Amino acid sequence: MAAHIGRRLRKGAATTAVAAAAVAALSASQAPGATVDDQGRQSTGDATSAPDTAADDSATGNSPYYTDLPPLNSPNPSPSAGSGDAGDQRAGEAGIPATVLDAYKQAEATLREKKPGCNLPWQLLAAIGKVESGQARGGRVTADGTTVTPILGPQLDGNGFALIRDTDNGAYDGNRMYDQAVGPMQFIPSTWDWAGRDGNGDGRKDPNNIYDAALAAGHYLCRFDWDLSQQGDLRKAILSYNNSTDYLNTVLSWLDFYRRGTHEIPDGTGALPVDRSDDTARPGVTPSAPGTTPPARPGKPSGSRPSPSPAAPGNGGSPSTPPVTPPPATPPTPTDTVHHLEDAGTGTLTAMAGHTFAERVSTRAETEAGKAVAKVRIRFTLVGDTDTTFTGGETVATVTTDASGVAVAPALQAGEMTGAFAVQAAVVGRSVKGVPYKATVTARAADALALAGEKEPTCVAGGEFAEPVQVKATYRGEAAGKVAVTATLVTSADDPAENDKGPYFKDADGKAVRSLTGLKTDADGQLTLPKLYADDTAGTFLLRLTTTGGATLDVKLTVEPAAAPSPEPDPSTDPAPSTDPAPSTDPSTDPSETPAA
């Protein structure tokens, strides 16, 4: 036992020294306001304080994590660097299992396309994956990226951990009483329910799959339009994953380490971390690691009970197990006290396609007596056939109620699909009745149309208009982009019936048509109509343009008569040509010039 304690003390001292050195290095390389790019270059930026996040507002529920720190030396030492255990440790820690590494890089590529302003580096996912699960327990994953055995954190029962009662009926973690963090990126079920993604294209969102979990983690870190190339946003994103300063520093240390070099290793051969943030045992409770079985303590098999105590007096010498004092009852959380939700003054939710909703959904959590409940997570979910999203591109948003018990959802951004849908507000972790909100997206509209240019279109009968008709649509003075426009050659200003003569368009087959639908303005509200042609009818005609929203413009088209052709000569009226030969000019044939005999 003494030897074991000595080993633990020496290990603890060594870990403390490494941690101190790592933090010192981070302080120099990633001080507040400093940013490190993909090449390790530093720049300064505004430091921003981290959010004060409740346990169930984090991705992991603030579950335990691995506290092992990377080697202080570079993962790619120079040839002159010393070898031995230190060199082996550097090489081992820099290796990332092939499938796990591929999942991180694929997630980065997807986020670069979907949310380029986030600037998510794959090394950040690797750092979080290292701290959460030791890179999926050293890369013990199948070919499609699913962990060989489930990776579960301890149940969040409030006894030494956060208290998060079951939110998934055990669907993800197998626990119907309390939630547990699940998978290689350690998502709690209530977070995975909205943050989960299908990263490997198999049609499922599985927290136990590294491709799905890595992509979900990337979206989670980018969900508030954070720019992770900025130090303040990077810190906020990491703390939103697990709200602990020690966690932040540990992740940053691995991020810095991986940025200086990594390499691919075979699946299942990754270095396994040892030390965890919950290594101090709770009375009567064995600490749980994120795995199906807690790691065994030195000298004890995994999951063993305390050794029987010596025989107590009067028990006949039989060994007995000392009674375990049950943990004290946990007080109710704010979520436990919520009886119902109420609308908190949300106005009419209507927006034009492509526009931001002016109103935001606002919900109030109350007790049975109608008292406001603060610090309760409210989940807002978009329901129905719609491409509307919350700001940031998500269809689910979770917001914590303020001191007045009110949670205000992020602004809604209308897509291009029109029609009605709903926003459902519900309490995370409770089965109380939610509040539905009806929302509507209307078609893009314009309230004014104007002809571009000052000259009215003209052409000659039987010809074609040299210049196409160009117009601009606006809505409340702003350019109205992607607005539907109908163009019709009408009979007159008072008769909107389609004209049967005069100017016309041509369809795909070259046939004359005098009405066009499906036209749309461009992003700047401008529209150039197809070429117009004229038949043989001269005169003034009207082209009527109408849009959704009621904007109308009549464009006058002038067709001038064709020029009269030059008359062909009439042979019957022409004088007959003379048949007499032309007089000769040869003196030898002129009698008057004949010499006298």
Side-chain angles (χ1 to χ4, degrees), residues 11-36:
K11 183 177 181 181
T15 301
T16 302
V18 172
V23 171
L26 284 168
S27 298
S29 65
Q30 295 193 26
T35 303
V36 181

Side-chain angles (χ1 to χ4, degrees), residues 41-378:
R41 296 184 293 266
Q42 299 176 13
S43 61
T44 58
D46 295 333
T48 307
S49 59
D52 181 13
T53 309
D56 55 354
D57 270 334
S58 69
T60 68
N62 295 341
S63 293
Y65 56 92
Y66 286 112
T67 58
D68 297 50
L69 291 168
L72 290 177
N73 299 56
S74 168
N76 294 322
S78 64
S80 61
S83 59
D85 292 344
D88 292 342
Q89 183 189 18
R90 287 192 296 270
E93 293 293 0
I96 299 178
T99 300
V100 178
L101 180 60
D102 184 57
Y104 296 149
K105 291 185 176 181
Q106 282 200 28
E108 179 198 52
T110 299
L111 267 298
R112 189 186 304 120
E113 176 185 353
K114 299 293 185 182
K115 296 186 178 181
C118 180
N119 293 308
L120 171 79
W122 67 260
Q123 292 92 338
L124 176 58
L125 297 176
I128 291 175
K130 178 70 173 181
V131 170
E132 292 296 346
S133 68
Q135 310 297 19
R137 303 297 292 158
R140 294 185 66 240
V141 296
T142 59
D144 71 345
T146 303
T147 56
V148 175
T149 55
I151 300 177
L152 296 173
Q155 68 176 15
L156 302 175
D157 57 7
N159 190 15
F161 304 114
L163 174 60
I164 305 179
R165 303 190 191 280
D166 176 56
T167 61
D168 66 330
N169 199 30
Y172 295 120
D173 54 15
N175 190 334
R176 296 187 179 184
M177 293 187 65
Y178 301 99
D179 273 351
Q180 294 176 249
V182 181
M185 302 304 278
Q186 289 289 278
F187 279 96
I188 55 175
S190 59
T191 302
W192 182 262
D193 189 52
W194 64 266
R197 293 294 191 280
D198 176 15
N200 63 350
D202 64 356
R204 300 176 58 224
K205 300 176 183 179
D206 183 3
N208 297 297
N209 182 280
I210 185 59
Y211 287 99
D212 296 358
L215 183 58
H219 275 278
Y220 184 90
L221 295 165
C222 294
R223 69 195 187 284
F224 290 134
D225 291 332
W226 283 327
D227 179 357
L228 302 186
S229 68
Q230 300 297 318
Q231 184 69 6
D233 283 358
L234 176 65
R235 291 172 62 88
K236 286 190 290 186
I238 296 172
L239 284 167
S240 77
Y241 212 88
N242 190 316
N243 191 27
S244 161
T245 302
D246 289 340
Y247 180 88
L248 169 68
N249 290 333
T250 304
V251 170
L252 286 176
S253 68
W254 282 106
L255 171 60
D256 180 65
F257 180 77
Y258 287 141
R259 272 174 162 160
R260 287 184 281 130
T262 61
H263 58 272
E264 179 184 300
I265 59 174
D267 290 344
T269 65
L272 296 177
V274 176
D275 295 323
R276 289 188 55 78
S277 60
D278 61 338
D279 272 348
T280 301
R282 300 174 288 165
V285 179
T286 302
S288 299
T292 54
T293 305
R297 297 295 179 190
K300 287 185 181 181
S302 174
S304 62
R305 294 182 178 275
S307 300
S309 62
N315 67 358
S318 300
S320 63
T321 301
V324 178
T325 303
T330 56
T333 66
T335 300
D336 294 330
T337 66
V338 177
H339 178 266
H340 60 272
L341 295 179
E342 293 284 349
D343 174 44
T346 306
T348 302
L349 296 172
T350 302
M352 188 187 301
H355 289 237
T356 300
F357 282 70
E359 284 287 328
R360 294 168 65 178
V361 177
S362 182
T363 302
R364 175 181 162 96
E366 296 182 354
T367 65
E368 187 173 7
K371 183 179 178 181
V373 185
K375 297 183 178 180
V376 174
R377 296 179 74 209
I378 306 298

Side-chain angles (χ1 to χ4, degrees), residues 449-457 467-472 526-528 553 555:
L449 279 171
L451 184 66
E454 298 179 356
K455 295 178 63 177
E456 292 182 340
E467 297 295 332
V469 176
Q470 294 181 317
V471 296
K472 182 168 184 178
Q526 295 183 346
L527 171 66
T528 300
L553 174 67
V555 180

